[in-house]
Amino acid sequence: MAGRASQKAPPAPSKEPLDRPNPSADLTEPWLSSVPAVLTGRFAITDVSPTVESGRRPAKAVVHEQVPIRATAFREGHDALGVTLVLHDPTGEERARHRMTPLSSGVDVWGTHVRPDGEGMWSFTIEAWDDRWGTWAHRAGIKVPAGLDIALELEEGALLLDEIAAVRPSARMLEISRNVRDTALSPEARLAAAFDPDVEAALTTDPLRVDVTSCGPWPLLVERRRALVGSWYEFFPRSEGAQGRPLRSGTFATAAQRLPAIAAMGFDVVYLPPIHPIGAAHRKGRNDSLEPLAGDPGSPWAIGSADGGHDAIHPELGSQADFVAFIARTRELGMEIALDLALQASPDHPWVSAHPDWFTRRADGSIAYAENPPKKYQDIYPLNFENDPEGLYAEVLRVVRHWISLGVRIFRVDNPHTKPLWVWERLISDVSTEESGIIFLAEAFTRPPMMRALAEVGFQQSYTYFTWRNDKEGLQDYFTELATSAAAYMRPNVFVNTPDILSAYLQHGGPPAFAIRATLAATLSPTWGVYSGFELYEGTAVREGSEDYLDSEKYQLRPRDWQAAEEAGLSLAPFISMLNAARSHLPPLQDLRSLLFHRTEDDAVIAYSKRVGDDITLVVCTLDPHRVRETMVWWDMPALGMQREDRLDGYDHVTSQSFTWGQSTYVRLDPAFTVAHIFEVTRA
Amino acid sequence: MAGRASQKAPPAPSKEPLDRPNPSADLTEPWLSSVPAVLTGRFAITDVSPTVESGRRPAKAVVHEQVPIRATAFREGHDALGVTLVLHDPTGEERARHRMTPLSSGVDVWGTHVRPDGEGMWSFTIEAWDDRWGTWAHRAGIKVPAGLDIALELEEGALLLDEIAAVRPSARMLEISRNVRDTALSPEARLAAAFDPDVEAALTTDPLRVDVTSCGPWPLLVERRRALVGSWYEFFPRSEGAQGRPLRSGTFATAAQRLPAIAAMGFDVVYLPPIHPIGAAHRKGRNDSLEPLAGDPGSPWAIGSADGGHDAIHPELGSQADFVAFIARTRELGMEIALDLALQASPDHPWVSAHPDWFTRRADGSIAYAENPPKKYQDIYPLNFENDPEGLYAEVLRVVRHWISLGVRIFRVDNPHTKPLWVWERLISDVSTEESGIIFLAEAFTRPPMMRALAEVGFQQSYTYFTWRNDKEGLQDYFTELATSAAAYMRPNVFVNTPDILSAYLQHGGPPAFAIRATLAATLSPTWGVYSGFELYEGTAVREGSEDYLDSEKYQLRPRDWQAAEEAGLSLAPFISMLNAARSHLPPLQDLRSLLFHRTEDDAVIAYSKRVGDDITLVVCTLDPHRVRETMVWWDMPALGMQREDRLDGYDHVTSQSFTWGQSTYVRLDPAFTVAHIFEVTRA
């Protein structure tokens, strides 16, 4: 047993006192004494969800989110088991107590929903208990009609009713108990008396519970709704209002003139690439050239110059006051700012001379630049947290606090997977202790374990693999994972494009491809994002096989004539406005966890539903930007809480028409006109 | 945070002191301070297997078993990560330290094997560390041949070699370091010097490890080999030697005469249904009749009469001394006894009058018999552990100790899923504390969560769903689960039939069906079992659609003429002997976790391999007892550790012939003659 001696005590879910002693609690084997009551409390409770890392980290939710709670609970023998969900708010007050129901017959999985109504660390506990009434009702319900042991069975039912009445004095229960015992009545009538709705009601609110076994509390971190729901718009402020020949950078003041149009499209969050001074050393020119021309502005991610570092603003964009005014204007329009947090430095960053130990020094005394051998990125010095972790961490925290003090409440973190995980866990924890509602979005497109880990250590949102999921099976598999198992720890922010990702699908699909991808992003995920230029169908890559834009805005100013494009009908903006209006109007589109895919006969058409309370939204979208598709869609009516023969009356937000659909619905989608239906079920 | 306040500390894997301080250790958020180092130690380690319930219960293994260890380990950025498995024996002594290797590229999953060499609570720990040599080797290996930064890269390699030599003084390392620095040599020669096999060897045994992050210790309970490997034979001693008219019960003495034949078939374990006195009240007659005839012996599971209860022996079988002699004879023949432990009582059991509180009392004062409404089982009183848990548990422990004192070391537990789980956890723990090597087999055929829970609380073996898995997909899915995820907690004991289960497949498949099912059981699972009569192809059900035997031995004596059947060629005994001989000869057939299925073109033919060290066994078996099947089998050669073009020379234990197979092998199986090949690869 020595090999176990150094292990700390495992997490023993707190237990309600049992009505009877639990003899297993006396075990003295060291490794057994530390086993929680999950299996050998009086009853067994396992596989609770949503949970993260066995409860060592909280599961995620947002205010008013409909959160499904599941648990496997079972018992020995054939008697009935009851299962209850108990929800506590951050003050420890009990806020809900639901009887859980079996999800399907014979699998021992029980479910219910909760909707926490405020931010903070909520918790929930699963309780399993001996359902003596259920056991009796099952047995008597078979035996009494069969004429077996009538007197005995009915007497035992009456005794249970007496017990209910004794615990919660009730004349009605005693009356029912008398009826059950009334031998002047037929056995059927006496049994029917026991099954009176008043008994059902009394037991539903306050069941007769014996041998209650608890599993929990499980932490549920409830954050503000923006952590789950939002429409993001990314643009480079320096491009907006850039003018002259050669082009001169736009400013916060000129960029602010673009904000009303962004708000009019229905976006909630305006995300700005880094706004800091840009280094000159090894500056990249147009199209990632190593030979910049005079006047090339450089990549905003090459942060730092003599003008300052991560806490400074590029002089060409304006002053700190200009930035604060830009934030204020954004707020006026009902939106908020997301700022980029890119922890790396140009060779000209003030950190390089002041804190060379925050970087990696090579054997020749030089500072290591970024490289992916044999490729070199000499305009970027990665940070090294090994030499002075406390000093560098304190600086990062100072920078973040600085921007929060100016009004920034969302940070889009660049490449978080290239920094140690502890930096993020500590930063997000420190910041959220000081101020609630700060959101960090992880911009990582890396392997699943790191994607998951970043979310688990605290990132409120995560970029996804969406741009590389373009076929039906790929979309279904990925979003089913995001909406079920992954939803416990990760919230997707689904961008249709980024300055780094112009997908092959967009490059080759023409305008319908843009409408399709926008529809999918805006309806599959409660948070989606667009990088500017998308609405103008910008789709030319720097070269075939690359996902980089030709004339990428990362390396040059790109003013655009939005007005002219819209007037010429060459803009997706009206369609985007419709999508965001539907998202705003339809609660299911603000939900992730209820996503369910339905069968279509054509693999180029995808169909799914979301359901929050009584609100149901159905989406059918073509995946083929080139050809007309016709198919039958088979809605899983029972999964929608309906009968197979029910009609689905509703309103399509894409075509602004009302339809009546049924379990099987014929759909024809011509990508030149209509790529999708977003169907609000008005009456089932 | 109040909702969390009552939670106990979670399991924090012990950490080796880091070479550098881990700043995340200072977090003061209550729920964060209790988070282990799994994600935010210096590196991340997750999804370790085999583990059970997050390490709160031990994973299972047996002595000398080849146990695969897996972990997901990853780090920020692009530098190399090293991963080490450290194994400790029950005394706490370190017994193995393996460098783990990536299972496949880009998934962050690492693997190795251990083979613990003794019983007890072993443990293992995963360590992840900064592999500075690996990082350098990758970078320099690309850059030096490309002519990039040659001097710098080679100097940094030399510095690492100096560091290795400084920690573990080595003239050879210093010599290599000098060669790497020797500018008289070409860059390629200097690089080649660094990649000298001596460096590789030094780093393999003792790598240059920085920032070691530990995850563990994870408990691994190593039990005796019989817990995993065995061939079981079940028979009713009262039938063996029963004679006369009316038939008189056989005895231990007459039953012992059957033992040499059982041993000759290669069985290791002789399992006896209950040997206790049988109740008379509501005794069942032939074919489960409620109207027994005089002389009907009753079901052995209706335990207890005036002659005694669970600690007594049925007088017709003999005395305690006769039983001890029977055990001794079994041992002489190289086998051991498994006794039935069926915790229920006939109405005549001494417990009923002495301890009525060990049963459930109904409202009319009667004791509750077993029922599945509307069916009644009035010959059986279930035990009730609620009223006097300590008293009843003490009696169960006393009974088990009694049989152990007579030499019983294996208990087949009847219907464990109808008793509270704590009874088993406590019993198995108490017994194993007193005496090592006692094995409990759970006879439960219930829903997966309870099957799993019984195994997790300590049962060394479990009955399975095997009899209901007869098609290729069903067998592959189920045994893949048993050999991988389930192997951490559960060991299968695969019976081809039981007194309660005569599968439809056997009823309708004739003798080839018996040979097929025996082959599958004996080669898919390291433990398999046969209930007597199987070798005589007994296959008639009491009625169509039932799995009960006609003239079930549960209710009557059934002496059989083994010798005559064998002489007439109407016995499967020779085939069973061959199977058990192959199992004894071939280490892979004693293994579970290496099971791997291979592709066949005919879904009525199944193919699989097992591999332990250099030993490989291939099995091809038809699933069609009626028709000849011909198919190609595609062996996954890389998964077998071979090249695609390698030849597989080997010996088939079924046909006693040598063959040479290849990646694609043509197989023809005529169930009338050969249902399978069990192919021992002698040279790859």
Side-chain angles (χ1 to χ4, degrees):
Chain A
M1 300 299 157
R4 299 275 310 179
S6 61
Q7 255 193 326
K8 295 186 190 162
S14 76
K15 283 175 57 183
E16 271 204 358
L18 298 184
D19 291 15
R20 298 170 195 173
N22 173 6
S24 71
D26 297 322
L27 290 169
T28 52
E29 273 291 300
W31 61 271
L32 282 174
S33 65
S34 64
V35 170
V38 180
L39 287 182
T40 50
R42 182 61 189 84
F43 304 110
I45 304 170
T46 65
D47 295 308
V48 178
S49 74
T51 63
V52 175
E53 296 282 336
S54 307
R56 290 173 296 198
R57 294 169 191 272
K60 284 184 165 69
V62 296
V63 177
H64 296 307
E65 184 177 5
Q66 171 186 277
V67 182
I69 309 282
R70 304 270 180 272
T72 298
F74 53 100
R75 65 171 299 170
E76 80 288 352
H78 306 290
D79 285 355
L81 188 71
V83 184
T84 306
L85 179 282
V86 186
L87 180 71
H88 287 90
D89 72 16
T91 71
E93 188 185 339
E94 182 179 314
R95 295 293 299 281
R97 177 172 284 271
H98 300 167
R99 180 101 187 239
M100 299 177 78
T101 52
L103 285 201
S104 63
S105 160
V107 296
D108 298 321
V109 181
W110 306 74
T112 188
H113 291 87
V114 296
R115 294 189 83 155
D117 61 6
E119 292 179 40
M121 190 65 77
W122 293 60
S123 70
F124 65 91
T125 297
I126 311 291
E127 297 177 342
W129 37 276
D130 184 15
D131 180 10
R132 291 160 66 209
W133 179 263
T135 300
W136 175 82
H138 171 76
R139 193 178 66 230
I142 294 171
K143 290 177 70 179
V144 171
L148 299 169
D149 302 331
I150 289 171
L152 175 59
E153 294 300 343
L154 291 172
E155 173 59 22
E156 290 192 346
L159 285 170
L160 287 172
L161 290 163
D162 295 346
E163 209 172 315
I164 297 168
V167 176
R168 288 169 289 277
S170 158
R172 177 68 185 134
M173 283 308 128
L174 291 174
E175 179 193 347
I176 293 172
S177 165
R178 275 193 303 276
N179 290 341
V180 173
R181 282 199 177 91
D182 185 351
T183 52
L185 298 172
S186 71
E188 289 72 18
R190 294 166 64 190
L191 185 66
F195 292 158
D196 189 284
D198 285 347
V199 177
E200 186 67 22
L203 290 171
T204 298
T205 56
D206 213 352
L208 193 62
R209 311 197 318 164
V210 177
D211 288 350
V212 177
T213 303
S214 281
C215 181
W218 298 93
L220 183 70
L221 179 60
V222 179
E223 297 176 300
R224 68 175 171 121
R225 277 188 74 74
R226 182 67 67 235
L228 177 67
V229 185
S231 302
W232 288 47
Y233 189 83
E234 172 178 4
F235 81 102
F236 288 68
R238 69 184 183 182
S239 283
E240 281 303 318
Q243 53 183 340
R245 206 166 171 79
L247 277 173
R248 286 194 319 277
S249 171
T251 65
F252 284 125
T254 61
Q257 295 169 29
R258 172 74 178 143
L259 292 175
I262 297 171
M265 282 189 281
F267 288 102
D268 311 304
V269 178
V270 173
Y271 153 48
L272 307 178
I275 58 174
H276 316 300
I278 298 172
H282 298 285
R283 175 176 287 189
K284 298 283 182 71
R286 295 183 167 221
N287 288 309
D288 206 13
S289 162
L290 295 175
E291 317 274 334
L293 304 177
D296 278 352
S299 164
W301 284 273
I303 296 170
S305 77
D307 293 318
H310 282 72
D311 55 356
I313 290 174
H314 197 300
E316 292 180 359
L317 288 173
S319 66
Q320 185 167 299
D322 294 334
F323 177 61
V324 170
F326 184 85
I327 293 180
R329 178 67 180 136
T330 309
R331 284 216 185 114
E332 268 174 26
L333 293 164
M335 305 185 293
E336 58 183 309
I337 289 289
L339 208 62
D340 204 296
L341 181 63
L343 295 183
Q344 56 193 19
S346 95
D348 303 323
H349 196 292
W351 287 343
V352 175
S353 51
H355 298 282
D357 54 334
W358 293 353
F359 302 90
T360 301
R361 193 174 293 274
R362 302 293 306 266
D364 61 359
S366 65
I367 288 180
Y369 45 79
E371 56 182 328
N372 182 14
K375 286 179 74 174
K376 301 179 174 189
Y377 306 93
Q378 287 168 285
D379 57 333
I380 302 289
Y381 285 173
L383 293 175
N384 180 333
F385 283 86
E386 301 292 316
N387 303 320
D388 176 21
E390 287 300 328
L392 180 48
Y393 173 75
E395 171 68 355
V396 172
L397 180 59
R398 187 190 68 77
V399 164
V400 170
R401 282 177 176 152
H402 169 72
W403 295 111
I404 291 173
S405 76
L406 297 185
V408 174
R409 294 174 56 74
I410 306 181
F411 294 89
R412 175 271 196 193
V413 178
D414 192 76
N415 279 333
H417 58 293
T418 60
K419 288 87 193 172
L421 281 163
W422 69 258
V423 173
W424 305 122
E425 174 158 67
R426 187 168 170 184
L427 180 68
I428 296 169
S429 169
D430 283 351
V431 166
S432 67
T433 301
E434 292 171 11
E435 177 143 356
S436 82
I438 307 299
I439 292 171
F440 291 86
L441 163 63
E443 187 253 3
F445 302 101
T446 183
R447 298 196 289 256
M450 177 59 90
M451 299 285 279
R452 175 177 185 149
L454 289 164
E456 289 190 356
V457 303
F459 276 96
Q460 282 81 4
Q461 290 192 349
S462 308
Y463 277 67
T464 71
Y465 305 146
F466 172 68
T467 51
W468 303 287
R469 298 291 182 276
N470 291 283
D471 65 306
K472 186 166 94 170
E473 188 182 351
L475 285 163
Q476 290 185 170
D477 288 353
Y478 187 48
F479 277 90
T480 295
E481 178 190 328
L482 290 174
T484 57
S485 57
Y489 57 85
M490 173 171 165
R491 300 188 190 97
N493 186 330
V494 169
F495 267 85
V496 290
N497 65 330
T498 79
D500 293 319
I501 309 175
L502 170 64
S503 69
Y505 187 88
L506 295 179
Q507 292 175 39
H508 302 118
F514 287 72
I516 289 167
R517 296 298 292 177
T519 302
L520 293 171
T523 60
L524 281 168
S525 171
T527 292
W528 76 302
V530 165
Y531 155 56
S532 67
F534 181 87
E535 63 270 54
L536 302 190
Y537 310 116
E538 290 177 2
T540 307
V542 67
R543 61 182 175 281
E544 182 62 32
S546 169
E547 293 189 331
D548 288 326
Y549 279 90
L550 176 67
D551 300 331
S552 170
E553 203 167 358
K554 284 161 65 179
Y555 310 110
Q556 67 190 73
L557 306 175
R558 290 200 54 174
R560 298 174 175 92
D561 192 341
W562 308 102
Q563 192 64 27
E566 202 155 338
E567 283 165 9
L570 298 175
S571 170
L572 195 64
F575 188 81
I576 291 173
S577 302
M578 178 278 296
L579 289 175
N580 281 332
R583 286 168 46 81
S584 168
H585 180 69
L586 300 173
L589 294 186
Q590 300 167 28
D591 185 61
L592 173 64
R593 285 164 148 129
S594 66
L595 175 64
L596 185 72
F597 290 95
H598 299 258
R599 190 161 72 82
T600 62
E601 293 181 356
D602 183 341
D603 275 346
V605 177
I606 194 166
Y608 43 96
S609 64
K610 293 182 173 182
R611 180 185 173 202
V612 174
D614 292 332
D615 294 321
I616 299 175
T617 300
L618 308 177
V619 178
V620 187
C621 186
T622 183
L623 302 176
D624 182 349
H626 302 295
R627 277 164 298 273
V628 175
R629 294 285 180 168
E630 301 177 70
T631 188
M632 295 303 293
V633 179
W634 294 83
W635 301 107
D636 181 344
M637 301 294 279
L640 295 171
M642 286 183 273
Q643 305 296 316
R644 292 189 196 286
E645 63 278 11
D646 283 348
R647 307 298 303 172
L648 297 157
D649 293 322
Y651 175 79
D652 174 25
H653 286 251
V654 179
T655 60
S656 304
Q657 290 182 311
S658 292
F659 299 121
T660 297
W661 286 357
Q663 176 180 233
S664 63
T665 301
Y666 165 82
V667 173
R668 181 180 191 277
L669 294 169
D670 180 344
F673 301 98
T674 305
V675 299
H677 298 301
I678 300 174
F679 190 81
E680 175 186 2
V681 177
T682 51
R683 196 171 57 82
Chain B
M1 300 300 155
R4 298 276 309 181
S6 61
Q7 256 193 326
K8 294 187 191 163
S14 76
K15 284 176 56 181
E16 271 203 0
L18 299 184
D19 291 14
R20 298 169 195 173
N22 174 6
S24 70
D26 296 322
L27 291 170
T28 51
E29 272 291 299
W31 61 270
L32 281 173
S33 64
S34 64
V35 169
V38 179
L39 286 182
T40 50
R42 181 60 189 87
F43 304 111
I45 305 170
T46 65
D47 295 308
V48 177
S49 72
T51 63
V52 176
E53 296 284 334
S54 306
R56 291 173 296 198
R57 295 169 190 272
K60 284 183 164 69
V62 296
V63 177
H64 296 309
E65 184 178 5
Q66 172 185 276
V67 182
I69 310 282
R70 305 269 181 274
T72 298
F74 54 101
R75 65 171 299 171
E76 80 287 353
H78 307 290
D79 284 355
L81 189 70
V83 185
T84 306
L85 178 284
V86 186
L87 181 70
H88 287 90
D89 71 17
T91 71
E93 189 184 338
E94 181 178 314
R95 296 293 300 280
R97 178 172 284 270
H98 300 166
R99 179 101 187 239
M100 298 177 78
T101 51
L103 286 200
S104 62
S105 160
V107 296
D108 299 321
V109 180
W110 306 73
T112 187
H113 291 88
V114 298
R115 294 189 83 154
D117 62 6
E119 292 179 40
M121 191 65 76
W122 294 61
S123 70
F124 65 91
T125 297
I126 310 291
E127 296 177 344
W129 38 276
D130 184 15
D131 180 11
R132 292 160 66 207
W133 180 263
T135 300
W136 174 83
H138 171 76
R139 193 178 66 231
I142 294 171
K143 290 177 72 178
V144 171
L148 299 169
D149 302 332
I150 289 171
L152 174 59
E153 294 300 343
L154 291 172
E155 174 58 23
E156 291 193 344
L159 285 169
L160 286 171
L161 289 162
D162 294 347
E163 209 172 314
I164 298 169
V167 176
R168 289 168 288 277
S170 157
R172 177 67 184 135
M173 283 308 128
L174 291 175
E175 179 192 349
I176 293 172
S177 166
R178 275 193 303 276
N179 291 341
V180 172
R181 284 198 176 92
D182 186 352
T183 52
L185 298 172
S186 72
E188 289 73 18
R190 293 165 65 191
L191 185 66
F195 292 157
D196 189 284
D198 286 347
V199 176
E200 186 66 24
L203 290 171
T204 298
T205 57
D206 213 352
L208 193 61
R209 311 197 316 165
V210 178
D211 288 350
V212 176
T213 304
S214 280
C215 182
W218 298 92
L220 183 69
L221 179 60
V222 180
E223 297 176 299
R224 68 176 171 119
R225 278 189 73 74
R226 181 67 67 234
L228 177 68
V229 186
S231 303
W232 288 47
Y233 190 84
E234 170 178 5
F235 81 102
F236 288 68
R238 69 185 184 183
S239 282
E240 280 302 318
Q243 53 183 339
R245 207 169 170 78
L247 278 173
R248 284 194 319 280
S249 171
T251 65
F252 284 126
T254 60
Q257 294 169 29
R258 172 75 178 142
L259 292 175
I262 298 170
M265 281 189 281
F267 288 103
D268 310 305
V269 179
V270 173
Y271 154 47
L272 307 180
I275 58 175
H276 316 303
I278 296 172
H282 297 285
R283 174 177 287 190
K284 298 284 183 69
R286 294 183 169 221
N287 288 309
D288 205 12
S289 163
L290 295 176
E291 317 273 336
L293 303 178
D296 277 353
S299 164
W301 283 274
I303 296 170
S305 77
D307 292 319
H310 282 71
D311 56 355
I313 290 174
H314 197 301
E316 291 180 359
L317 288 173
S319 66
Q320 185 166 299
D322 293 335
F323 178 60
V324 169
F326 183 86
I327 293 180
R329 179 65 180 136
T330 309
R331 286 219 183 112
E332 267 175 28
L333 292 163
M335 304 186 292
E336 58 182 309
I337 289 289
L339 208 62
D340 205 295
L341 181 64
L343 294 183
Q344 56 193 21
S346 95
D348 303 323
H349 196 292
W351 286 344
V352 176
S353 51
H355 298 282
D357 54 334
W358 292 354
F359 302 90
T360 300
R361 193 172 292 274
R362 302 294 304 267
D364 62 359
S366 66
I367 288 179
Y369 45 79
E371 57 182 327
N372 183 13
K375 286 179 75 173
K376 301 180 174 190
Y377 306 94
Q378 288 168 284
D379 57 333
I380 301 290
Y381 285 173
L383 292 175
N384 181 334
F385 282 86
E386 302 292 316
N387 303 322
D388 177 22
E390 287 300 328
L392 180 49
Y393 173 76
E395 171 69 356
V396 171
L397 180 59
R398 186 189 68 77
V399 164
V400 170
R401 282 178 175 150
H402 169 72
W403 295 111
I404 291 174
S405 76
L406 296 186
V408 174
R409 295 174 56 73
I410 306 182
F411 294 89
R412 176 270 196 195
V413 179
D414 191 75
N415 279 333
H417 58 294
T418 61
K419 288 87 192 173
L421 281 163
W422 68 257
V423 173
W424 305 122
E425 174 158 66
R426 186 169 171 183
L427 180 69
I428 296 169
S429 169
D430 283 350
V431 166
S432 68
T433 302
E434 291 172 12
E435 177 142 358
S436 82
I438 307 298
I439 292 171
F440 290 86
L441 164 62
E443 187 253 1
F445 301 101
T446 184
R447 298 196 289 256
M450 178 59 90
M451 300 284 280
R452 175 177 184 150
L454 288 164
E456 288 190 358
V457 304
F459 275 96
Q460 282 81 5
Q461 289 191 350
S462 308
Y463 277 66
T464 72
Y465 304 146
F466 173 67
T467 51
W468 303 287
R469 297 292 183 276
N470 290 283
D471 64 305
K472 186 165 93 169
E473 189 183 351
L475 285 163
Q476 290 184 171
D477 288 353
Y478 187 48
F479 277 90
T480 296
E481 178 190 329
L482 290 174
T484 56
S485 57
Y489 58 85
M490 174 172 165
R491 300 188 190 97
N493 186 329
V494 168
F495 268 84
V496 290
N497 65 332
T498 78
D500 293 317
I501 309 175
L502 170 64
S503 69
Y505 187 90
L506 294 178
Q507 292 175 39
H508 302 118
F514 287 72
I516 289 168
R517 296 298 293 178
T519 302
L520 294 171
T523 60
L524 281 168
S525 172
T527 293
W528 76 304
V530 165
Y531 156 55
S532 67
F534 181 87
E535 63 269 55
L536 302 190
Y537 309 116
E538 290 177 3
T540 308
V542 66
R543 61 182 174 280
E544 182 61 32
S546 169
E547 292 191 331
D548 288 325
Y549 278 92
L550 176 67
D551 300 330
S552 170
E553 202 166 359
K554 284 161 66 179
Y555 310 110
Q556 68 190 71
L557 305 175
R558 290 200 55 173
R560 299 174 175 91
D561 191 343
W562 308 101
Q563 192 64 29
E566 202 155 341
E567 283 166 7
L570 299 175
S571 169
L572 194 64
F575 188 80
I576 291 173
S577 302
M578 178 279 294
L579 289 175
N580 281 333
R583 286 167 47 81
S584 165
H585 180 69
L586 300 173
L589 294 187
Q590 299 166 28
D591 185 60
L592 172 64
R593 286 164 148 129
S594 66
L595 175 64
L596 184 72
F597 290 95
H598 299 258
R599 190 161 73 82
T600 63
E601 293 181 356
D602 184 341
D603 276 345
V605 177
I606 194 167
Y608 44 95
S609 65
K610 292 182 173 182
R611 181 184 172 202
V612 175
D614 293 332
D615 294 321
I616 298 175
T617 300
L618 308 176
V619 178
V620 186
C621 185
T622 183
L623 302 175
D624 181 350
H626 303 294
R627 279 166 296 273
V628 175
R629 293 285 180 167
E630 302 178 69
T631 188
M632 295 302 293
V633 179
W634 294 83
W635 301 106
D636 181 344
M637 301 294 279
L640 295 171
M642 287 183 274
Q643 306 296 315
R644 292 189 196 287
E645 62 278 10
D646 282 350
R647 308 298 304 171
L648 296 157
D649 293 322
Y651 175 79
D652 174 24
H653 286 252
V654 179
T655 60
S656 304
Q657 291 181 309
S658 292
F659 298 121
T660 297
W661 286 357
Q663 176 181 232
S664 63
T665 301
Y666 165 82
V667 173
R668 181 180 191 278
L669 294 169
D670 180 344
F673 301 98
T674 304
V675 299
H677 298 301
I678 300 173
F679 190 80
E680 173 185 4
V681 176
T682 51
R683 198 170 56 82

